[in-house]
């Protein structure tokens, strides 16, 4: 796979010219019924309504040319086939394949990367046996009782994606099963989760690829201590999801072990054992396979080269149009579904850890914008919080709305002629129109400028299958953008410096005395900061 600099593409020059006079949504004829009908992309159970973006046919044509010129689908296929793309040429880097798609390419008789898919099938078979043993009374606690709760202990990609998926699908939990999560090294996080648990009927799923993650190992020790204080043997209550041969790959310390692999990055790992063990415990194996099937459907659909028929590719290019050509620095992802309350948090990591890069794949400084700031909260709550800024503020914030025509539980009531779900969807669609069209008013306080680009991604219902599809849509949107910007979306060196300095500060705290003198024989910067922060 060879990608050139973003600024060198011929289509970039054309888009730059088009961006000088982008489509005006709030002028007469700027947003018509015909436009809403025409600007729709449908795939894998989702409809993307994008007539409220500041684009026209000329922009779409140029975006298609950019996708073709940059070889975005070819790069995506190279990723799926196992080409080593997690690297920066000529510099020390992870130098790995990127194969999160292989974890769900388990339905094909001819998978893209047979070896990694075979490993995924082996782990799925192991998971199925583990879940069967829980159901059949083979795995029980010391009193012969079944386990009712699983607590996932992990951070970053070992928490955000799995937690977002569990919260999205918890209405599908098996009777008598639940899941909780501990991530933050803040001891209050663990204390709050542990304080009301029946530890004797709880399994703790410790998730760390390296087996050395500081926050996770610290929280694991808190869990082990709590179990011992309760008179329980930790090895009967702890399971591990880790890299093969890591320090955590130890059957003497864990009831069961599942493997995660170097070629699946943490933020892309929710459909590997990182997410599926806890999801399988809470939802059951069949629901796990539905999640994988939904994601796999999008993995296949994302191979489509026509941007008007490829939702993740179209989302990626619309994002590039808004960010690189219209100059908007952020994007808000606003799900009108309370079940997706943590999905924006997952996307913050998945997008900003992936595309928050300032060097190319050749190690040169970029001269164009890369990843935007991603943020969001569920509607309608957000309408009573930050929507004031996105409607009338000086910062234009492109918005991606996500909604579902039907509720999950089906428990609803008709009030004043409409159900709560209909009110929820009406609010989402109204916000889309209001952002696009604005409102003229002689009173400047009540003037809405409009021309706030947005799109609506909508499906019938949030189910395991559609959740898997939604996850994959955004994973691929992020990857397509990284390919286009010629950056490595699959490493995360930006988190390493802080870890190094945190360990340095911890060494000073643990020593209880100065470890080294500064250049002038006085305190080091680290020691001075600790002193001023009031740390012992």
């Amino acid at each position: 796979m060879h990608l050139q600099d973003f600024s060198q593409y011929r289509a970039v020059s054309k888009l730059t010219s088009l961006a000088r006079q982008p489509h005006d949504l709030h002028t007469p004829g700027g947003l018509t019924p015909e436009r809403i009908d025409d600007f729709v992309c449908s795939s894998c159970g989702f409809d993307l309504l994008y007539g409220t973006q500041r684009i026209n046919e000329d922009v779409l044509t140029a975006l298609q040319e950019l996708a073709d010129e940059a070889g975005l689908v070819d790069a995506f296929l190279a990723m799926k086939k196992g080409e080593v793309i997690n690297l920066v040429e000529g510099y020390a880097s992870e130098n790995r394949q990127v194969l999160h798609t292989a974890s769900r390419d388990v339905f094909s008789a001819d998978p893209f990367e047979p070896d990694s898919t075979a490993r995924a099938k082996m782990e799925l078979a192991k998971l199925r046996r583990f879940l069967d043993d829980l159901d059949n009374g083979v795995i029980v606690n010391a009193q012969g009782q079944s386990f009712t709760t699983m607590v996932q202990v992990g951070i970053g990609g070992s928490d955000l994606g799995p937690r977002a998926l569990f919260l999205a699908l918890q209405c599908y939990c098996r009777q008598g099963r639940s899941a909780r999560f501990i991530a933050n090294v803040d001891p209050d996080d663990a204390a709050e989760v542990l304080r009301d648990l029946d530890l004797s009927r709880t399994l703790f799923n410790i998730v760390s690829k390296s087996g050395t993650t500081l926050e996770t190992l610290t929280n694991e020790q808190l869990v082990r201590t709590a179990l011992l204080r309760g008179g329980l043997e930790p090895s009967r209550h702890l399971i591990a999801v880790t890299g093969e041969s890591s320090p955590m790959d130890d059957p003497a310390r864990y009831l069961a072990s599942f493997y995660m692999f170097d070629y699946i990055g943490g933020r892309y790992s929710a459909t590997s054992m990182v997410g599926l063990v806890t999801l399988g415990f809470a939802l059951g194996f069949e629901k796990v396979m539905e999640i994988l099937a939904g994601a796999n459907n999008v993995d296949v659909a994302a191979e489509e080269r026509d941007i008007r028929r490829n939702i993740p590719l179209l989302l990626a290019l619309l994002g590039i149009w808004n960010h690189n050509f219209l100059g908007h620095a952020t994007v808000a992802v606003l799900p009108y579904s309370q079940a997706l309350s943590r999905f924006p948090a997952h996307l913050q990591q998945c997008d900003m850890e992936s595309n928050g890069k300032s060097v190319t794949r050749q190690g040169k400084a970029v001269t164009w914008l890369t990843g935007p700031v991603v943020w969001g909260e569920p509607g309608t709550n957000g309408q009573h919080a930050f929507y004031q800024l996105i409607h009338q503020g000086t910062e234009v914030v492109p918005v991606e709305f996500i909604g579902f025509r039907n509720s999950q539980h089906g428990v609803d009531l008709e009030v004043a002629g409409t159900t709560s779900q209909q009110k929820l969807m009406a609010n989402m669609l109204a916000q889309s129109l209001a952002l696009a069209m604005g409102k003229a008013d002689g009173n400047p306080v009540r003037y809405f400028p409009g021309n706030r680009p947005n799109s609506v991604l909508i499906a019938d219902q949030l189910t395991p299958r559609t959740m898997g599809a939604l996850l994959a849509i955004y994973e691929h949107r992020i990857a397509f953008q990284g390919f286009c910007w010629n950056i490595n979306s699959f490493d995360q060196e930006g988190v390493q410096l802080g870890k190094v300095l945190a360990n340095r500060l911890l060494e000073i705290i643990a020593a209880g005395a100065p470890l080294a003198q500064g250049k002038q024989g006085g305190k080091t910067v680290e020691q001075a900061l600790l002193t001023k922060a009031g740390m012992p």
Side-chain angles (χ1 to χ4, degrees), residues 170-209:
Q170 62 182 333
C171 73
Y172 294 94
C173 273
R174 298 181 57 192
Q175 187 173 4
R177 294 279 179 87
S178 66
R180 305 283 292 276
F181 295 82
I182 297 172
N184 202 330
V185 75
D186 181 345
D188 289 340
D189 188 18
E192 182 63 27
V193 172
L194 295 174
R195 71 184 179 92
D196 61 352
L197 285 180
D198 180 353
L199 295 179
S200 70
R201 303 190 70 179
T202 300
L203 287 170
F204 293 90
N205 180 15
I206 315 300
V207 185
S208 170
K209 183 186 293 184

Side-chain angles (χ1 to χ4, degrees), residues 100 102-107 119-121 123-128 130-131 134 150 152 157-158 161-163 165-166 169 177 179 181 205 207 239 241 258-260 264 268-293 295 464 468 471:
H100 47 283
S103 66
R104 53 251 192 168
D105 196 12
V106 295
F107 304 95
R119 293 189 190 100
K121 288 181 176 179
E123 293 303 306
L124 282 170
K126 191 192 303 182
L127 175 61
R128 184 164 205 163
F130 175 73
L131 296 177
L134 287 171
M150 180 172 285
Q152 180 147 333
S158 297
R163 190 192 298 240
L165 264 65
F166 170 73
L169 300 174
R177 294 279 179 87
F181 295 82
N205 180 15
V207 185
I239 63 177
V241 178
F258 299 89
Y259 291 136
M260 51 204 295
I264 300 179
Y268 296 98
S269 65
T271 52
S272 73
M273 289 302 111
V274 171
L276 300 187
V277 173
T278 295
L279 292 170
F281 175 88
L283 308 178
F285 189 79
E286 291 74 17
K287 294 293 188 290
V288 159
M289 296 307 291
E290 290 176 25
I291 294 169
L292 295 180
L471 179 75

Side-chain angles (χ1 to χ4, degrees), residues 1-17 61-76 317 320 324-325 360-362 366-370 479-487:
M1 183 182 72
H2 176 73
L3 299 175
Q4 68 186 57
D5 283 354
F6 179 76
S7 58
Q8 295 177 1
Y9 292 124
R10 294 184 301 276
V12 166
S13 177
K14 183 180 294 187
L15 287 160
T16 300
S17 178
T61 298
L63 290 173
Q64 180 71 66
E65 291 171 4
L66 177 61
D68 295 340
E69 191 179 357
L72 299 187
V73 172
D74 290 329
F76 177 72
L317 291 162
I320 287 171
N324 293 92
F325 299 100
T360 69
R361 287 179 170 274
Q362 291 75 37
V366 300
T367 56
W368 52 90
L369 294 174
T370 60
F480 280 131
Q481 289 183 338
F483 294 144
C484 198
W485 289 321
N486 191 25
I487 57 176

Side-chain angles (χ1 to χ4, degrees), residues 41-61:
C41 179
S42 300
S43 179
C44 300
F46 280 89
D47 297 313
L48 177 65
L49 317 181
Y50 61 100
T52 44
Q53 293 282 349
R54 298 195 67 185
I55 54 147
N56 55 26
E57 287 294 339
D58 289 340
V59 172
L60 278 174
T61 298

